Structure formats: structure tokens, C-alpha cells
Amino acid sequence: MMIVPAGSAATPAEGLTAMLFDAKLGKPEDFTTDAAGKIALISRGEITFQEKVAHAVEAGATGVLIYDHVDQPGPLNPSIGGDTTVPVGGISKASGIALLNDIALQEKTVTFTVEKLKSATSQNIIATRSPKRGSNHDIVHISAHFDSVPFAPGASDNASGTSVALELARILKSYPIEKELRFVFAGAEEIGLLGSEYYVIRLSGNEISRSLANFNLDMVGTAWENATAIYLNAVDGQANIVSDTAMETAARIGTPSELILYQRGASDHVSFHEAGIPAINFIRREPDTANLEPYYHTPLDTVEYISKERLQEAGELVGASVYSLIRK
């Protein structure tokens, strides 16, 4: 079983057949001239998936298989951060070890096939609330993606963020506001932020200039005990009106979890940031390591591992932060 990340190249229709090259962790020093023309078999860990693939391409590998470094019920779903020139697949630790101990050692060939879908469709759902008086108001966007990955039910990623955004829409529908409020429920986030990108690039210049902030909710309700911090992910790692407002709100309302400003993309806030709109991704992670929950992108991403208390905490933090902006 294999998962193909967004950005992977396709194989020929008959698939890619080649010998395996044990590229260990995929660092530059893990490759030799023998990697050329082979499929690089790489373990997860220490460097990013994007770097692993780039090093394999540089070494002349014709494809990449990345296997997990921990036992999970489903295959690894790597995020490679953009398009690449070779086909890439994610597999489980068990599959990776089996390939190493059998196929690679015996210098056998493997075949894997990647087909690009060209007619798939997705949807965005947009809800807007405008002040009763005036026009050309500043806009505050609350976003959450509602898709998940194959084999993962998606309770945390991202029914948690979607549910909090829906609840905020319900609560804020009757509050007096002085700025425009938009709820952006984006599809196709997991295959390259396509839904949010589609939404943002269709904003007019006037709408972008009026866009004050984007609060992006993603994986805010995990019950994983190690995820004690709410990370405020900024694409450039810099504070902005969203992170500043959240920090001020947390101090004012007594948010129990630590808030950590962190440099990270990989969610729909990237689309807003690239358009010049201040954006922050709210997500739960483990302090110091920034690790995500072990259920991430696996069949164990179920409601059993969702915390009602943490959903409430995220809703109160983001809701109070948003309202402090739209009521002015």
C-alpha cells in the first residue's frame, strides 16, 4: 500500500521498474554514483521530505520511496512541498524494511505506478457576513480545510478545525460587527492547498487591500497528551496582527495552553500569506519538538482521539481574537 504526495511526477503507463538503492535518511552523503537510474528507498527522519527527494533527484535516482520510521497502521503520507521531476511514494515502516531485506539485498527490481488525475474536482464553501452600514470594510478571513487524506478518517485533520470554524460562524452571526467576516471552508488542501489558492487568487485587488487578517484552523482538537501547546505558524516566522491579537487575547482570557510563534507553512495560511494578507495557522503540537500527534494521516485519526476541552479552548481563543478585530 502506497500514498502518492501532491507534486509527485507520474510514471509511464506501464509503471516504473528499477532496482532499489538504500539511501538511508536521504542526506547527500547517503547517495553514491550507484543511485543513478535506481529507485531511492529512504527512511523518514532528521531532514524534510522535500530535501530527501531533492537529494535523490540530484543523485540521478529515477524514483523515490519513503518509508516511515515508526510503526503506523497506514502508509506514510509525505509532504514534498511542490512539484518534483520523479515519481514519489510513501509506504509503511514494515513495507520499507521488507523491501530492504528482500528486494534490495537480492538486487531485484520493483515496479510502482503513479497516475496523475486530470479531471478531479473539489469545492470551496464561502460564507460572508457584512456590517449593516457602510461599504468597503476591512475583511477578516477564518479558514479551515474539510478534506482529509486516503485511509485517514480526518477527525483531527481537519474536522477539528472545521467544527470550530462552524461554531464560530454560528456564534458570531448575531454579534454587532464593524468589519466584514468571511468563513472559508477549503477543499483540496491535502493535495497542495488548491482550494485556498483558488479562493485567494480570485480576490480582487480591492478585496486583498481590505483583507486585514486570516485565522486558519487546522488540527486544533487532538487529545494527544504531548500536544500541550498551540502553535501560531507563520510562513515567515514573524509576528503579525493575527499572532499579536491571539497573544493579547490569550493573556486576557487566560488561555491555559502555551502559545508558540513558529515558522511553518504546509496549510492554507500559505495562500493568504502569498497574497500579502497577514495569516496564522493555529495547530496543536508538542512543545520543543513541534511534533504532531501520532495519529496524523493514519486510520487512527478518529473522534476517539479528539478533546472537547481543546476544541473549546481553540474556539474561545480564535473567537475572542477575531471579535476584538471585527468589532472595532
Side-chain angles (χ1 to χ4, degrees):
M1 190 180 298
M2 178 180 75
I3 292 180
V4 178
S8 168
T11 63
E14 66 274 14
L16 171 65
T17 299
M19 294 175 60
L20 291 172
F21 176 81
D22 179 9
K24 300 179 176 60
L25 287 167
K27 298 179 179 180
E29 60 268 25
D30 293 328
F31 291 93
T32 68
T33 55
D34 288 340
K38 297 180 180 178
I39 297 170
L41 184 61
I42 305 174
S43 172
R44 180 181 189 177
E46 295 195 17
I47 60 175
T48 67
F49 299 126
Q50 186 176 17
E51 290 171 317
K52 294 175 188 290
V53 173
H55 297 157
V57 171
E58 188 175 351
T62 56
V64 176
L65 289 173
I66 305 175
Y67 62 94
D68 214 336
H69 57 4
V70 294
D71 291 315
Q72 299 282 5
L76 177 67
N77 192 336
S79 176
I80 60 175
D83 292 339
T84 187
T85 57
V86 300
V88 179
I91 58 178
S92 68
K93 178 182 177 181
S95 295
I97 298 301
L99 288 175
L100 276 177
N101 293 337
D102 181 12
I103 306 299
L105 283 180
Q106 299 184 47
E107 298 186 344
K108 298 178 182 178
T109 61
V110 296
T111 301
F112 77 98
T113 303
V114 175
E115 178 184 359
K116 285 217 170 187
L117 299 178
K118 298 181 179 179
S119 59
T121 60
S122 182
Q123 299 81 35
N124 290 338
I125 302 170
I126 315 299
T128 300
R129 184 176 176 224
S130 300
K132 293 183 178 180
R133 297 185 180 86
S135 60
N136 281 333
H137 301 283
D138 287 340
I139 305 170
V140 174
H141 305 263
I142 298 176
S143 60
H145 75 89
F146 59 84
D147 60 318
S148 59
V149 301
F151 312 109
S156 176
D157 187 18
N158 184 36
S160 64
T162 301
S163 64
V164 171
L166 282 169
E167 179 66 1
L168 292 178
R170 185 190 70 81
I171 293 171
L172 293 173
K173 68 180 181 182
S174 57
Y175 276 63
I177 60 174
E178 297 180 19
K179 292 180 176 65
E180 185 175 325
L181 182 60
R182 292 192 190 179
F183 290 89
V184 182
F185 298 95
E189 186 265 0
E190 297 287 5
I191 59 171
L193 317 182
L194 300 185
S196 59
E197 181 182 84
Y198 182 92
Y199 169 75
V200 172
I201 65 176
R202 282 161 177 76
L203 294 174
S204 67
N206 175 266
E207 287 175 305
I208 290 175
S209 66
R210 291 190 288 119
S211 291
L212 185 65
N214 166 236
F215 292 76
N216 181 57
L217 292 154
D218 198 349
M219 300 176 66
V220 294
T222 177
W224 184 44
E225 59 183 12
N226 290 12
T228 57
I230 299 174
Y231 272 60
L232 309 181
N233 288 344
V235 175
D236 58 5
Q238 301 299 307
N240 58 36
I241 188 172
V242 182
S243 60
D244 287 345
T245 302
M247 292 288 191
E248 293 167 3
T249 299
R252 174 167 52 84
I253 68 174
T255 300
S257 296
E258 177 186 11
L259 270 58
I260 298 175
L261 181 63
Y262 192 68
Q263 184 172 6
R264 176 72 174 171
S267 192
D268 286 325
H269 63 304
V270 173
S271 300
F272 292 88
H273 170 84
E274 290 180 346
I277 301 170
I280 290 290
N281 165 237
F282 292 76
I283 187 168
R284 278 204 170 265
R285 292 177 178 265
E286 182 180 43
D288 300 326
T289 67
N291 285 339
L292 292 171
E293 62 195 277
Y295 326 116
Y296 170 63
H297 283 183
T298 77
L300 293 178
D301 185 9
T302 61
V303 71
E304 176 185 356
Y305 298 108
I306 294 295
S307 163
K308 294 180 181 179
E309 292 74 20
R310 287 179 171 177
L311 290 175
Q312 178 81 18
E313 183 180 347
E316 291 176 351
L317 173 63
V318 174
S321 297
V322 168
Y323 193 63
S324 71
L325 294 178
I326 62 176
R327 71 182 180 183
K328 296 178 181 177

